[in-house]
Structures are given as C-alpha cells and as structure tokens.
C-alpha cells in the first residue's frame, strides 16, 4: 500500500478521535485567483478550528499523498507559477509516478479522506452533469465518487454552470442522498435558488450527523451530499449569473476547450464578467460550508 503522509496534528487528532474536516485543493490551484486562493485556504482552516474540529487539507505534494498541509505546501498550491495538476480519481497514479504536485478534486479528495478515516469534507460546489452532456458525455467524476465512497460532502450545491436537473437525476439513480441545510430547494452555488425542490431538509448539524450515522451503520455504502446555500449577503441572483454562463459556454466552444479545463475556464470567465463578484461569493460560500462541516464532524463524533 502507498502511505498517506499525515502531519503530527492530524496523527494526534486521529489517535485521540477528535473531529476532523477534510478540505480539497483544486479550489486553491484551479478554482480561485492568486492571492485570494491562499488567503481562502488559510481562512477555511481557521473556520474549521473556530467551530471546534481539526482541518485536514488534502493534496499531492512532490508525489506524496498528504492529509494536513504545511504552510509551504499551501504556497506551492496557490502559486500560479508552480505546475500543479488538477487531479481526479484517474489522475492519481500519474502524479505519483512523476512525483508531481496535484490539487485534488472533490472525487480525489473523497478517496484520500476515506482512506484516512475522515468522513466529513467541505468544498465550494461539486462537479456534475454538464449542459449538453447528452452529446458531450461530460459528467464529473465527483458524481461516481459520491455513489461509492463513504464521505459526506458539504457544498453550496452543484456549480451553477451545470445542468442541475440532470445532476439531481444522476445522484438519485446512484442512491446518493441530497440534504438541504435549512432549505428544501437545491442551492445553486453562487445563488440560493435553483427552482429545484424536494430536498430532504434538516435544521441542525446534529440531525444531519444522525442521518449519516444511520446510513453507514446499516451499512449502506456511498456518499451523502449536504447542500448549504450561500449567505444572502454574498449571493448573486440566478437571473444575473445565467447570462454569463451562456457566454462562457459559447466561449469554450469557440476556443475548443475540453475535458478537465472546462470548469476552471468557466469559473475564470465568470470572475471577469462579474467584476470579481463571483470570487467573493465563492469565498463566502466555501467558508460557510467549512463552518457547517465542522459542526457536523463534532456531532458525528458523539455517535458510536
Ligand atoms: N468548488 C469550488 N471551486 C472549485 C471546485 C469546487 O468552489 O474549483 C472544484 C472541485 O475540486 C470539483 C471540481 O471537484 O471543481 C470539478 O471539476 P470537473 O467539473 O472537471 O469534474
Ligand atoms: Mn468534465
């Protein structure tokens, strides 16, 4: 087996059975611009601690799978000059082989968190079924991972650039529960509304922890998606985002952008189109998710 490198704080937290929250790194290297990406990575760890859990940011650094990063690792991941690959499930062996640096997506972070026995994970927005997937077949590996890996992913909904209805259908087919925190309506990343209703809704972290505990105790394998709407003060209304998304998707066709480059390109396009508003919104929602994830980790820790 290939060893996972945990820092002393995470080792001790695992030993003492303290609540831990996994955090991903694609958002640092490919989701946010510099220097906001570095500041956000630090702020997320602080937010997890403030609520009482220990943060474990996950990445591959110089070919080592790391759970819990050092300052120097965060410097590498956030510096646009370092060559950091976007690493999903299929890319893990090649970054190990080249001893490269890899920023892990939701899918890859789930895999590593599960191996490290960390069941709660916070991100911004998950990948999903892209618009036009009936011809492009572009469906994020995040969804397959949710289908099979026992991790609770706390997010602000699937990224609004996706086909949200098809994403929900896909999750239903694969038996992935989607929980709304204080909402029955699926949140849409930068926006609180999507027009898609019918989520199982809970008001407290403790009820969510109970749901997780029952699912895994049964045991039913697979992930759970907790969706937590972006705070109202940093929301971009759905109507406003729609135009930018249409433009961005036309641009990817023109520039023939494909595969794993699509999501980072669209996020960056919308950053420029929104005059940075999408970045403040993204930072706010991911912090909000780190907070809820920390509370869920504490509650889950109380269960046997
Ligand atoms: N959340 C954010 N920003 C991001 C991501 C999530 O706020 O950049 C990343 C996650 O790592 C997710 C990835 O797994 O985007 C989805 O990429 P793709 O659509 O290529 O699967
Ligand atoms: Mn894709």
């Amino acid at each position: 087996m290939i060893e996972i490198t945990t820092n002393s704080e995470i080792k001790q937290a695992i030993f003492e059975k303290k609540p831990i929250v996994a955090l991903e790194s694609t958002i640092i290297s490919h989701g946010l611009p510099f220097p906001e990406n570095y500041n956000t990575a630090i702020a997320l760890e602080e937010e997890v601690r403030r609520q009482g859990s220990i943060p474990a940011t996950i990445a591959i650094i110089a070919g080592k799978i790391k759970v819990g990063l050092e300052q120097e690792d965060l410097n590498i991941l956030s510096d646009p000059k370092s060559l950091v690959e976007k690493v999903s499930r299929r890319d893990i062996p090649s970054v190990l082989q080249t001893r490269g640096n890899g920023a892990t997506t939701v899918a890859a972070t789930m895999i590593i968190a599960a191996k490290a026995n960390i069941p709660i994970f916070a991100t911004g927005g998950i990948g999903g079924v892209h618009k036009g997937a009936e011809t492009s077949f572009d469906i994020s590996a995040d969804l397959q991972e949710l289908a099979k890996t026992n991790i609770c992913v706390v997010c602000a909904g699937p990224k609004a650039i996706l086909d949200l209805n098809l994403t929900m259908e896909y999750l239903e087919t694969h038996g992935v529960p989607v929980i709304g925190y204080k909402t029955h309506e699926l949140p849409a990343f930068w926006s609180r509304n999507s027009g898609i209703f019918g989520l199982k809704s809970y008001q407290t972290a403790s009820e969510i922890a109970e749901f997780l505990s029952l699912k895994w105790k049964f045991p039913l394998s697979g992930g759970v998606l907790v969706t937590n709407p972006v705070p109202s003060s940093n929301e971009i209304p759905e109507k406003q985002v729609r135009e930018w998304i249409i433009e961005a998707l036309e641009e990817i066709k023109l520039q023939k952008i494909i595969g794993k480059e699509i999501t980072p390109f669209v996020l960056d396009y919308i950053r420029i189109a929104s005059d940075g508003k999408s970045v403040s919104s993204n930072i706010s929602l991911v912090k909000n998710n780190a907070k809820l994830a920390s509370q869920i980790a504490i509650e889950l820790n109380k269960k046997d």
Side-chain angles (χ1 to χ4, degrees):
M1 274 231 308
I2 292 173
E3 205 194 325
I4 291 178
T5 308
T6 44
N7 64 19
S8 55
E9 185 188 26
I10 301 294
K11 270 199 190 84
Q12 197 179 346
I14 292 172
F15 183 72
E16 292 176 6
K17 295 197 163 53
K18 285 192 177 154
I20 307 176
V21 172
L23 298 165
E24 57 133 326
S25 42
T26 292
I27 185 169
I28 306 173
S29 302
H30 306 280
L32 292 170
F34 180 83
E36 285 92 337
N37 57 355
Y38 177 83
N39 297 337
T40 304
I42 300 283
L44 292 180
E45 296 199 351
E46 280 172 5
E47 190 57 51
V48 169
R49 278 185 214 285
R50 190 170 308 130
Q51 302 300 320
S53 299
I54 308 288
T57 308
I58 293 179
I60 300 177
I61 303 290
K64 273 201 179 127
I65 300 172
K66 287 197 167 184
V67 173
L69 301 183
E70 310 299 332
Q71 170 103 18
E72 181 48 29
D73 301 328
L74 291 179
N75 284 335
I76 293 172
L77 292 170
S78 52
D79 185 350
K81 290 195 292 294
S82 15
L83 294 172
V84 182
E85 245 183 87
K86 176 176 164 186
V87 175
S88 197
R89 172 180 270 269
R90 61 149 196 209
D91 312 298
I92 294 174
S94 73
V95 204
L96 299 181
Q97 196 171 13
T98 57
R99 296 200 169 78
N101 298 317
T104 49
T105 63
V106 167
T109 306
M110 285 177 77
I111 295 168
I112 298 166
K115 291 199 196 300
N117 286 316
I118 303 172
I120 309 295
F121 162 27
T123 181
I126 60 157
V129 181
H130 282 254
K131 294 181 203 283
E134 59 275 24
T135 50
S136 69
F137 271 44
D138 191 354
I139 300 172
S140 175
D142 292 356
L143 298 186
Q144 274 296 316
E145 214 52 59
L146 279 162
K148 60 187 162 215
T149 303
N150 299 2
I151 297 285
C152 167
V153 180
V154 182
C155 70
K159 283 196 220 55
I161 58 177
L162 303 163
D163 187 318
L164 300 184
N165 279 303
L166 293 187
T167 301
M168 289 299 282
E169 291 297 339
Y170 193 101
L171 289 168
E172 183 179 342
T173 301
H174 290 276
V176 179
V178 181
I179 290 172
Y181 180 60
K182 298 186 177 170
T183 179
H184 286 282
E185 184 177 3
L186 181 73
F189 197 57
W190 302 293
S191 320
R192 294 174 63 85
N193 308 99
S194 65
I196 300 171
F197 290 86
L199 300 192
K200 178 102 209 120
S201 175
Y202 288 118
Q203 299 292 321
T204 63
S206 151
E207 288 167 288
I208 297 173
E210 192 179 357
F211 179 99
L212 296 174
S213 164
L214 290 170
K215 173 177 161 94
W216 291 328
K217 212 164 159 183
F218 182 29
L220 271 177
S221 64
V224 172
L225 192 66
V226 172
T227 63
N228 183 26
V230 58
S232 315
S233 51
N234 288 101
E235 172 182 36
I236 312 179
E238 199 260 330
K239 248 172 65 194
Q240 211 179 328
V241 184
R242 208 182 300 154
E243 273 306 296
W244 300 327
I245 295 174
I246 294 169
E247 283 172 31
L249 297 179
E250 277 166 10
E251 203 55 37
I252 60 164
K253 270 196 204 129
L254 277 173
Q255 297 195 28
K256 298 197 168 54
I257 289 162
I258 51 160
K260 66 182 186 181
E261 310 302 333
I262 290 177
T263 298
F265 178 89
V266 175
L267 291 178
D268 200 52
Y269 187 95
I270 293 171
R271 171 182 70 85
I272 297 163
S274 69
D275 208 7
K277 254 174 97 182
S278 68
V279 172
S280 339
S281 176
N282 200 344
I283 294 170
S284 160
L285 66 84
V286 69
K287 277 191 202 160
N288 195 39
N289 297 339
K291 178 177 174 183
L292 177 60
S294 185
Q295 294 166 352
I296 297 171
I298 291 165
E299 294 300 327
L300 186 64
N301 214 34
K302 294 181 189 162
K303 317 248 175 245
D304 49 26

